[in-house]
Amino acid sequence: MNKTIALALGALLLGQPKLNAQTMIQKNNITLSSDLMTPEALWAMGRIGGAQASPDGKQVVYQVSYYSVKENKSHTMLFVQPTKPGKTMAKPTQLTTDTKSESDAAWIDGGQSIAFLRDGQLWKMNADGSARTQLTNSKIDIEGFRFSPDGKHVVLIKSLDYHESIAKNPDDLPKATGRLVTDLNYRHWDHYVESIPHPFVADVTGDKVSDGVDIMEGEPYECPLAPFGGIEQIAWSSDSKQVAYTSRKKTGVDYAISTDADIYLYNIDTRTTKNLCKPEGYVEPKIDATKSMRNQAVNHQEGDMNVGYDINPKFSPDGQYIAWQSMKRDGYESDRNRLCVYNLATGDKKYVTESFDSNVDDYCWANDSKSLYFIGVWHAVTMVYQTNLNGQVMQLTDGWYDYGSVQLLGNTKQLLVTRHSYIAPDDLYVLTPNKKEKKSVVEAITAENKHILDQLAQPKVEQRWVKTTDGKQELVWIILPPHFDANKKYPTLLFCEGGPQSPVSQFWSYRWNMFIMAAHGYIVVAPNRRGLPGFGSEWNEAVSQDWTGQCMDDYLSAIDDAANNLPYVDKDRLGCVGASFGGFSVYYLAGHHDKRFKCFISHDGAFNLESMYTDTEEAWFSNWEYDDAYWNKDQTDAARRTYANSPHRFVDKWDTPILCIHGEKDYRINANQGFGAFNAARMRGIPAELLIYPDENHWVLKPQNGVLWQRTYFNWLDRWLKK
């Protein structure tokens, strides 16, 4: 089935009449009277995820989520696609045929069957979608699964009631909505912490799967880690006798201030567990919860204690090693993510990506167990690399793209990867490694949104290196509108990145989308300012404890370079936009821009850093970035500088229209930050609007809310920059 029909079917299964691609777009209020991207076209795109290659590498099963703006919901469907590229791309086989969403597909039975999740239960079917069988009948929804190599066991992820931080309400008050909070870690990201996930090892007998044994029974800790962890944090040994899993075994204040997650090895026969990261009997040094761990004893111990994030274990095919992604320091969530290889026989650890001074974002073992493939960002693009066990790293791919995931293509020497860029969302590709640097062959096997992209005029992407105020070189992306005319002048946006340590690489976003910003007639200036990965650790770490220093100068260097040196940039029509730390940047620049900008937009930005210190549920973040609690009398100079330069202290200098956007379920940066900024602007008499979402978190996930976001965003920009 081609994807035009699949997209129409996605609409049908959401309750709409059967439509072809063109009429479906019109049904979702998308009018292709022009060739410019619209919010409705963006939300009509299928979103690929959850791909897995068959054992022989000849097929891939993957999921696509389709969104209906009218119905305000999504539908996730499964497909199987041949992996042999050719002049004519093979058509995928559609597996999902009804209104139920199906996801998380994986090959089992040696590639004869596919396991998947449906209605909170584990199912299986033949590779052509026939003979569907429900394997579990669990009273608790299954959130993820992983079968053992021998197929006799499966790990099931289930969430259990949890009352370490929120007391259980009395049984005779079943309708009470109050929560008695007794400790920290009582809410995370967008929910109150009243349940935590645990891994269960279940037996597989024919077409039945047992409820399983909780391998963390009685432990008040989560696995996988909230808020984004999934089945990738759990792995089976090649002999099917052991399970490696990720957990941060802390509660309350200790949990809230720490990023110390470890890799544990569970033996399914003896039901014993070993911590691979810490020596037996390890005792953590005392930690002051009101100060950064940067200079505390926990980060200055003798030996390698793996006190930072250690996540995502994977066994080598020969069973000799286990690898995982490892951060060095406790309390620093943006520490460099290294690739650690652990010798199961000797207990020796080796870090095999030390020559790559950036993050390992995903990885997999080679079939020979002598090398690993990984993806990481360097100079604002995310490429595929290979490292051997001696740490010799080679770049396999090239170009202006971001690779998002990497896995072996079954038992072949090829890889299955996802790739996207500013001008196209994810598709699946087969990568054939080459022994020569950057010479690997990459061939597409899906074209999920071709029928939409072919109707749209594309932006043009350019790259500039800009001199900063301290004499360094800053890489800046310039995105030009479709049908660009160098003889015209265009309104221009400075894009401020969040994180504060997330790359401004070739990302594709369904909200902060460079394609749609350019399609609305704006030039986008996107700088890789101080504090972003991909330019070495010194550059990456320069933002911590210095949010309003060189990184702000880097923003202004980028926009000043564009305004002064690109004749098609209208310096009298400049806007400044950003989210999270980018939203903080907007609030700060609003008081320090020297009338460069004609309007601002801040999404989920931090406004009052004293308030944010205790507002955020992830206390480790504020501790590391601010250095001290605001009430400490012995504050460091960095802490005093941070609080003194909080954006709320410069509202008296605000003089420019501002749009504030926030989600009330954002517990990382609470909505009171957006309320405060908007209220302050209006009390100062500055034109301002507030777009508030009672039901959204740090993201905007519901289709109609997403379209409202885009319309509000561009209405505000057009109002002030297109007069």
Side-chain angles (χ1 to χ4, degrees), residues 290-291 610 613 626-644 649:
T290 70
K291 292 182 177 292
E610 287 191 3
Y613 180 84
Y626 307 167
D627 219 27
D628 253 321
Y630 62 83
W631 59 80
N632 283 338
K633 303 305 181 186
D634 61 343
Q635 282 181 6
T636 64
D637 290 341
R640 280 191 287 271
R641 182 174 61 247
T642 295
Y643 293 118
R649 295 184 178 275

Side-chain angles (χ1 to χ4, degrees), residues 116-172:
F116 60 100
L117 293 182
R118 175 185 171 96
D119 278 340
Q121 300 295 329
L122 180 62
W123 291 64
K124 80 170 185 178
M125 59 183 163
N126 292 335
D128 62 1
S130 63
R132 289 163 168 265
T133 303
Q134 184 173 328
L135 300 179
T136 61
N137 189 23
S138 174
K139 295 180 180 179
I140 305 173
D141 281 356
I142 296 166
E143 301 167 18
F145 66 91
R146 177 151 287 165
F147 277 79
S148 61
D150 64 10
K152 295 178 180 180
H153 304 281
V154 59
V155 171
L156 306 174
I157 302 300
K158 306 179 189 182
S159 286
L160 307 176
D161 289 344
Y162 177 80
H163 297 290
E164 290 289 320
S165 298
I166 301 175
K168 185 178 183 299
N169 281 345
D171 292 338
D172 63 336

